[in-house]
Amino acid sequence: MSAFKALGLNDELLQAITDMGFETPSEVQEQAIPILLEEDTDLVALAQTGTGKTAAFGFPMLQKIDVASRTTQGLILSPTRELCMQITNEMKSYGKHMKGLNVVAIYGGASISDQARQIKKGAQIIVATPGRMKDMISRRMIDISKIEYCVLDEADEMLNMGFHEDITEILSHSPQEKSTWLFSATMPREVASIAKEFMYQPQEITVGSKNTGSENVTHEYYLVNARDRYQALKRLADANPEIFSVVFCRTKRDTQKVAEQLIQDGYSAGAIHGDLSQNQRDIVMKQFRSRQIQMMVATDVAARGIDVDNITHVINYQLPDEVETYTHRSGRTGRAGNQGISIVIVSKSEVRKIRSIEKKIQKKFEVKEVPSGMEICEKQLMHLANNIKDTEINDDIEAYLPAINESLEDFSKEELIKKFFSVEFTRFYNYYNKAKDINVKPGHEKDYRDDTGSTRFFLNVGEKDDFNWMSLKDLLKEVLNLGKDDVYKVDVKDSFSFFNVDEKHKDLVTSVFADFEIEGRKVNVEESSGGGGGRKGGGRGRGGRSGGRGRSGGGGYKGGRRRDDDRGGRSSGGYKGKRSSDGGSSDSSKRGRFGGSSEGKSRFSGKRRGKSKPEGGGTGGRRRRD
Ligand code: AMP
């Protein structure tokens, strides 16, 4: 308590702090409160939710406003309705000994006239979501021309959600001389630029290091085939009977689908996403808070309203596009001194995303194996045993015991235990007993690739033209202006080749090769009729092997007209070149040729008309997912 006093807080606040049972200030409070109390300054604070940041700006704002006046003096903008209500409640508790204090929440989805009425009574502090706030200002229901303090809470989230314009509009109705306090979990470029736009020489404080996740969170990933994602999720849930988690999906549709599947499979799950009404969201949130729901499947935007501590696991059912989003997701666990685990279920093609997350959060992921069926059975049995051990005896059971004892009197204690546990064991055993291992062994992922959303192309140059997989890949990367992972499954045959690109680059390939020559020869590139398949495993790592005759089973060009070429080997356009004697795979002279050497480049520097910019190359603006 004296620690709070030392920060300079007044008696009314100290009393509330005692009531709430806060013992020591959190790090962000320790750093922010003295600055904000002593100076009229702008402030940028990097702090995640759960660090006590509401009080870090709330205490100083409450202490600085004049409760005797009914003028609106403080505005707090927050991204979601849930957060808005949460902040309002916190502010009310902090200020409960301040007579005459009126904190009003303004958010969409509720009656605007009720909110206007509350404002009319005189709100010294307004906590608002940007959309509704802008609306009410434009209808002259709210006057913020005299505010002295403005908080932009979870600024990164607000910008992510596309509120930049609304914020600008709102702030244009506020006085220049106010103090602006910006709180954000991360500091992407957009937040830095908003700080520049709206603030004057802000002081900066950081809790923990920039862009890194909580110290209390460990990060794990499980490598499976994309089709086994749901199975992996189920097994992880079964292997953690006490799980209390948020499961993140990328789209509203997937969120709903996964939740429905989980419910159907008997899990206590729920969904929260933008297609649900506010009422539905409130109900599901209440169930989650009271732990009727153990697994909350959520989109990123909807999850921002989840203000629940003690989440044991964050599960990234699908990885987000932005690393920042991963930081937010994983920040839902490991709060309030608890340990948390952030799990990512990855398919083979996503492992490189893990690497970029590791760089950003400056933490290593642990590669874990999805537990086997038998491991799950064991976990469940031990869970049951511990539950039994910890269960308090309900005395009301006495009345039923004679009948129970009578029906079981022929069994020994050992038999009873076996029978009792068999009830649970059989349930899991029957399901998992023949369950296959769904782990993709680490190290193999580089050789695999998800074929969904991938297009395979045929190209009429091959080993006869002195290409091997590596040199051809280099050529393709260069002329298409794509990254090393964007061109894959490069399969070089005798007189032709195949390669894959993601669907999004399909048009680029078609347009670049519409008119393209190598050494005066027209290069013909066509979409392979076999679709997105192609070589799986092995080949890429070993380098341009020339085999592939018997590959129709696993290959993506199965049934395509080029198979004839594959068999015949010489019919592709009658181009005759020298054939390498060693099959081409490791001929270093060849490899060097297109490995960026000027010689290699000159070879295809001929005509290249109609080249368009690679799609998806630019970062562009952030998209709102739901
Ligand atoms: P916030 O980061 O503002 O969302 O706060 C997270 C939770 O921590 C809230 O439930 C606060 O009531 C609580 N809290 C804030 N400051 C303290 C403190 N100094 N000691 C204990 N709990 C706190």
Side-chain angles (χ1 to χ4, degrees):
M1 176 48 52
S2 61
F4 280 107
K5 197 169 182 169
L7 297 179
L9 296 173
N10 66 23
D11 288 345
E12 286 163 329
L13 289 171
L14 291 173
Q15 185 57 50
I17 289 167
T18 310
D19 297 347
M20 287 182 298
F22 293 1
E23 285 171 1
T24 46
S26 69
E27 192 186 343
V28 65
Q29 292 162 6
E30 224 160 34
Q31 290 195 53
I33 292 171
I35 299 176
L36 299 181
L37 284 180
E38 281 163 28
E39 302 171 45
D40 280 329
T41 177
D42 286 350
L43 176 86
V44 171
L46 273 170
Q48 305 226 346
T49 316
T51 53
K53 67 185 167 59
T54 313
F57 61 74
F59 290 156
M61 185 183 279
L62 287 164
Q63 186 153 323
K64 285 184 138 183
I65 57 159
D66 175 9
V67 266
S69 159
R70 283 158 42 110
T71 308
T72 300
Q73 301 153 57
L75 170 66
I76 300 163
L77 289 177
S78 81
T80 63
R81 163 191 157 124
E82 284 81 6
L83 192 60
C84 173
M85 295 199 298
Q86 190 191 328
I87 296 170
T88 308
N89 290 337
E90 294 260 328
M91 293 295 278
K92 284 180 178 167
S93 321
Y94 304 159
K96 68 180 192 180
H97 298 293
M98 295 171 61
K99 250 196 147 89
L101 174 71
N102 198 12
V103 183
V104 173
I106 295 295
Y107 48 81
S111 157
I112 198 165
S113 48
D114 283 356
Q115 291 176 353
R117 215 168 298 128
Q118 288 185 58
I119 296 285
K120 240 184 169 168
K121 285 189 208 155
Q124 294 96 351
I125 295 173
I126 293 174
V127 188
T129 52
R132 174 58 65 93
M133 185 67 189
K134 186 182 119 185
D135 194 10
M136 291 184 74
I137 290 175
S138 70
R139 296 199 204 186
R140 299 185 190 288
M141 288 169 159
I142 291 181
D143 174 14
I144 54 164
S145 63
K146 297 198 177 60
I147 60 166
E148 292 169 60
Y149 311 101
C150 175
V151 174
L152 303 175
D153 192 27
E154 305 221 346
D156 49 355
E157 296 290 5
M158 286 202 284
L159 296 177
N160 258 341
M161 292 169 73
F163 284 135
H164 187 240
E165 265 178 45
D166 288 357
I167 294 170
T168 310
E169 171 65 21
I170 292 165
L171 295 185
S172 72
H173 294 269
S174 70
Q176 281 264 309
E177 2 13 289
K178 69 183 177 301
S179 299
T180 304
W181 307 336
L182 181 150
F183 283 74
S184 191
T186 57
M187 188 48 73
R189 211 167 354 105
E190 296 89 333
V191 177
S193 78
I194 209 174
K196 219 168 166 188
E197 194 177 347
F198 296 113
M199 302 168 84
Y200 176 72
Q201 296 185 345
Q203 303 210 33
E204 195 176 311
I205 60 173
T206 303
V207 180
S209 56
K210 281 183 198 181
N211 290 330
T212 61
S214 156
E215 279 308 307
N216 297 334
V217 180
T218 51
H219 303 262
E220 304 176 343
Y221 76 88
Y222 294 79
L223 188 59
V224 297
N225 287 312
R227 64 172 178 273
D228 291 327
R229 222 179 263 280
Y230 179 70
Q231 185 57 229
L233 174 66
K234 271 177 59 156
R235 289 197 195 178
L236 290 168
D238 287 339
N240 294 282
E242 295 284 352
I243 198 166
F244 183 51
S245 67
V246 183
V247 179
F248 284 95
C249 293
R250 285 157 64 106
T251 64
K252 291 183 274 194
R253 214 166 129 250
D254 287 346
T255 302
Q256 187 64 31
K257 209 172 81 190
V258 170
E260 275 172 16
Q261 253 176 315
L262 284 170
I263 293 166
Q264 208 175 2
D265 289 340
Y267 296 85
S268 51
I272 190 159
H273 56 73
D275 279 352
L276 301 178
S277 70
Q278 192 58 54
N279 192 36
Q280 286 171 311
R281 287 200 212 194
D282 289 347
I283 291 170
V284 82
M285 267 313 300
K286 205 165 154 198
Q287 290 173 328
F288 189 50
R289 245 180 243 119
S290 64
R291 300 206 168 210
Q292 280 167 272
I293 284 177
Q294 261 187 297
M295 298 172 84
M296 178 73 110
V297 192
T299 56
D300 288 297
V301 173
R304 280 163 199 149
I306 301 177
D307 55 318
V308 180
D309 291 334
N310 303 325
I311 286 170
T312 58
H313 296 75
V314 159
I315 301 182
N316 293 266
Y317 186 75
Q318 293 149 334
L319 270 176
D321 284 336
E322 313 262 344
V323 178
E324 303 283 0
T325 311
Y326 178 82
T327 317
H328 276 288
R329 287 181 175 186
S330 57
R332 300 270 151 206
T333 185
R335 293 186 180 190
N338 298 316
Q339 289 297 316
I341 299 174
S342 178
I343 285 176
V344 187
I345 303 174
V346 280
S347 65
K348 300 140 298 188
S349 59
E350 294 171 315
V351 174
R352 62 203 156 116
K353 284 195 188 172
I354 294 284
R355 302 292 162 242
S356 53
I357 294 171
E358 283 180 334
K359 257 191 228 148
K360 192 82 170 198
I361 64 174
Q362 289 160 31
K363 273 187 171 184
K364 277 264 170 232
F365 273 77
E366 200 181 330
V367 199
K368 301 270 272 201
E369 297 228 333
V370 178
S372 69
M374 287 308 101
E375 282 168 329
I376 291 169
C377 288
E378 190 184 335
K379 281 257 166 74
Q380 288 285 342
L381 284 181
M382 287 321 295
H383 177 63
L384 178 62
N386 288 329
N387 257 353
I388 292 169
K389 203 168 74 186
D390 297 341
T391 296
E392 273 187 40
I393 291 173
N394 182 336
D395 290 334
D396 290 342
I397 204 162
E398 291 287 344
Y400 306 95
L401 284 181
I404 295 172
N405 284 335
E406 197 186 323
S407 101
L408 300 175
E409 68 187 354
D410 293 340
F411 301 107
S412 67
K413 179 188 165 192
E414 284 71 30
E415 283 171 323
L416 281 177
I417 290 177
K418 279 186 205 165
K419 274 182 172 288
F420 188 83
F421 277 83
S422 290
V423 174
E424 190 76 349
F425 181 65
T426 307
R427 189 162 71 89
F428 279 93
Y429 184 79
N430 285 348
Y431 184 78
Y432 279 124
N433 138 44
K434 292 206 175 73
K436 66 177 176 57
D437 182 2
I438 57 170
N439 293 289
V440 171
K441 301 297 171 225
H444 288 210
E445 67 271 19
K446 280 192 225 73
D447 297 338
Y448 285 81
R449 184 98 189 187
D450 229 348
D451 282 335
T452 40
S454 178
T455 306
R456 189 142 177 90
F457 281 96
F458 161 86
L459 180 77
N460 67 336
V461 293
E463 284 174 355
K464 288 200 303 192
D465 309 296
D466 273 0
F467 280 104
N468 62 26
W469 73 274
M470 226 188 281
S471 58
L472 184 62
K473 183 171 173 159
D474 284 341
L475 166 79
L476 292 166
K477 266 171 19 195
E478 181 149 345
V479 296
L480 295 167
N481 199 7
L482 290 174
K484 75 174 169 42
D485 292 315
D486 296 320
V487 179
Y488 47 95
K489 287 183 182 164
V490 181
D491 238 350
V492 178
K493 309 287 181 200
D494 193 358
S495 55
F496 57 92
S497 310
F498 292 92
F499 67 94
N500 275 51
V501 294
D502 285 352
E503 200 80 46
K504 61 182 175 193
H505 299 309
K506 190 172 128 181
D507 292 343
L508 168 73
V509 174
T510 317
S511 72
V512 168
F513 286 103
D515 192 357
F516 191 87
E517 290 178 5
I518 295 179
E519 292 180 343
R521 182 158 82 98
K522 167 96 175 70
V523 173
N524 181 21
V525 173
E526 289 170 27
E527 201 173 320
S528 165
S529 49
R535 168 160 46 119
K536 292 204 177 193
R540 280 215 291 162
R542 278 181 265 135
R545 69 166 195 216
S546 60
R549 240 171 238 207
R551 301 189 30 74
S552 55
Y557 49 96
K558 186 177 162 189
R561 65 187 164 87
R562 298 293 167 189
R563 262 186 65 198
D564 297 339
D565 300 346
D566 193 19
R567 288 202 197 98
R570 304 242 171 211
S571 60
S572 70
Y575 178 87
K576 283 202 174 159
K578 82 170 166 20
R579 173 147 195 197
S580 91
S581 55
D582 65 356
S585 70
S586 57
D587 183 335
S588 59
S589 68
K590 256 190 257 169
R591 200 184 303 143
R593 198 146 176 207
F594 288 92
S597 72
S598 57
E599 184 196 358
K601 267 181 197 156
S602 66
R603 208 167 162 219
F604 58 84
S605 62
K607 283 193 227 161
R608 195 194 319 159
R609 275 170 261 155
K611 184 170 187 252
S612 61
K613 268 184 90 172
E615 285 173 69
T619 47
R622 280 161 188 267
R623 270 166 297 142
R624 219 182 132 167
R625 281 227 165 259
D626 62 350

